[in-house]
Amino acid sequence: MKAAVLEALERMTIKEVQLPEPDDDSMLMKVEAVGICGSDIRIFHHGNSRVELPQTLGHEASGRIVKVGRNVTKFAPGDRVSLGADVPCGACVFCEAGMGNNCQINYALGYQFAGSFAEYVLLNKTVVHYGPIHKIADHITYDEAALAEPLACVLNGLELSNVSIGDTVVVIGAGPIGCMLVEVALKMGARVLLVNRSRPRLEMAKQLGAHAYICSAEENAIERVLEETGGLGADVVITCNPSPEAQVDAIHMAKNRARVNFFGGLPKGQSMVTLDTNVIHYKELFVHGAHGSLPRHHQKAVELINTGMIDMNKYISHRYPLASIEEAIAMAESHAGMRVIIKP
């Protein structure tokens, strides 16, 4: 089969590799669609401690099961499925407590396990038993289903931020996942303000129906959020971009006792951020992170897509064949559109 193999930093090669053969406890999926995530781009440029090169990346995927081992009972050849990324080990203290995305092994497809930038992907025993694999409705396209993975991360982030009906939520960052945060928070009954530095990306997001769109390159975003909230600040502030400045701004946009979620990770070497901790102290802020998702979040994301509650098509702007993956990565990195999909 053909696979895009990251052989060294910034060198991805399309090559013939051996088609995996599932054992009694695993199965093989024909990849139909896979999204390019910001973490794929970071690994492409900078690597990751969990990724040993050479490796096949890609974790926002969907496809069709073509082979199953004789001990696999939950799935059968022909099943159309969506894959998540984070795979609980199933045995550690965090996995046993239902917090598999905090597993200290931290397995993930496209990291320790070969990912879906390939014609086929092997789903091993751990993935089959504990991982996020869920069947998709017949009317859902594979492209839509591939984006259940980032949607699952959104559900985890909003859950951790305890978003409630009537809350004012500020989302900083209007990329595809930031826009998903806006849409889901609106459906949860929140009043949502979207902040972004780029005016064109902010204009793309106006279809979502947020209550305010704030271009931080053109006005003081903190002052505008305070103006929109009667001087009190927002109940929830979520940073959904790789900007240290956004994390600094977030605590100043927050209302007393607000939840501040550092949802987006920062680039290597830029994660040491100076915060005025007196602001956190006197406002009694709850500052937390959000990392990946659990299989139950992925299941819920698939349900939201299957029922049409969330239409993922608006988050897809470009499609490329596997042979053009480096061009696709450059497009995703340019922020010229929304999600870029690879069609192996």
Side-chain angles (χ1 to χ4, degrees), residues 84-99:
D86 297 295
V87 181
C89 76
C92 73
V93 63
F94 293 102
C95 291
E96 287 185 345
M99 299 184 291

Side-chain angles (χ1 to χ4, degrees), residues 29 31-35 58-63 81-84 109 115-117 121 142 145-150 298:
M29 186 186 88
V31 181
E32 298 289 351
V34 53
H59 58 267
E60 300 178 1
S62 64
V81 298
S82 172
L83 302 182
L109 289 159
S116 295
F117 288 154
V121 62
Y142 288 113
L147 298 191
E149 195 281 331
H298 186 261

Side-chain angles (χ1 to χ4, degrees), residues 30-245:
K30 184 179 187 297
V31 181
E32 298 289 351
V34 53
I36 297 178
C37 177
S39 60
D40 294 318
I41 295 171
R42 287 194 294 274
I43 294 168
F44 177 77
H45 288 299
H46 307 293
N48 184 283
S49 61
R50 293 186 288 149
V51 179
E52 183 177 338
L53 302 184
Q55 181 60 293
T56 301
L57 309 184
H59 58 267
E60 300 178 1
S62 64
R64 178 169 47 86
I65 302 301
V66 293
K67 284 186 179 181
V68 300
R70 64 181 181 180
N71 296 332
V72 176
T73 58
K74 292 193 296 183
F75 300 96
D79 284 345
R80 304 172 74 242
V81 298
S82 172
L83 302 182
D86 297 295
V87 181
C89 76
C92 73
V93 63
F94 293 102
C95 291
E96 287 185 345
M99 299 184 291
N101 58 330
N102 285 277
C103 175
Q104 298 300 282
I105 299 175
N106 207 8
Y107 287 134
L109 289 159
Y111 286 72
Q112 296 96 331
F113 305 146
S116 295
F117 288 154
E119 293 180 306
Y120 295 86
V121 62
L122 180 70
L123 306 177
N124 63 32
K125 180 179 179 179
T126 302
V127 178
V128 171
H129 280 210
Y130 301 114
I133 312 171
H134 296 101
K135 297 175 186 178
I136 60 175
D138 290 341
H139 65 278
I140 297 301
T141 67
Y142 288 113
D143 293 10
E144 295 171 89
L147 298 191
E149 195 281 331
L151 182 58
C153 297
V154 164
L155 298 180
N156 179 50
L158 292 171
E159 178 183 291
L160 289 169
S161 294
N162 195 26
V163 174
S164 301
I165 188 168
D167 279 347
T168 295
V169 176
V170 171
V171 176
I172 308 176
I177 296 183
C179 289
M180 291 181 203
L181 281 162
V182 170
E183 181 175 5
V184 178
L186 286 169
K187 283 181 163 55
M188 295 172 72
R191 176 173 179 260
V192 183
L193 317 178
L194 180 59
V195 178
N196 197 69
R197 186 179 300 160
S198 162
R199 171 60 67 180
R201 181 62 72 95
L202 206 57
E203 292 298 321
M204 279 191 278
K206 284 193 172 178
Q207 62 178 311
L208 298 170
H211 295 83
Y213 293 85
I214 302 168
C215 182
S216 57
E218 299 172 5
E219 61 181 316
N220 186 306
I222 298 170
E223 291 179 359
R224 178 69 186 282
V225 168
L226 293 175
E227 180 185 327
E228 292 283 343
T229 56
L232 295 177
D235 300 287
V236 176
V237 184
I238 304 174
T239 63
C240 190
N241 57 16
S243 167
E245 293 81 11

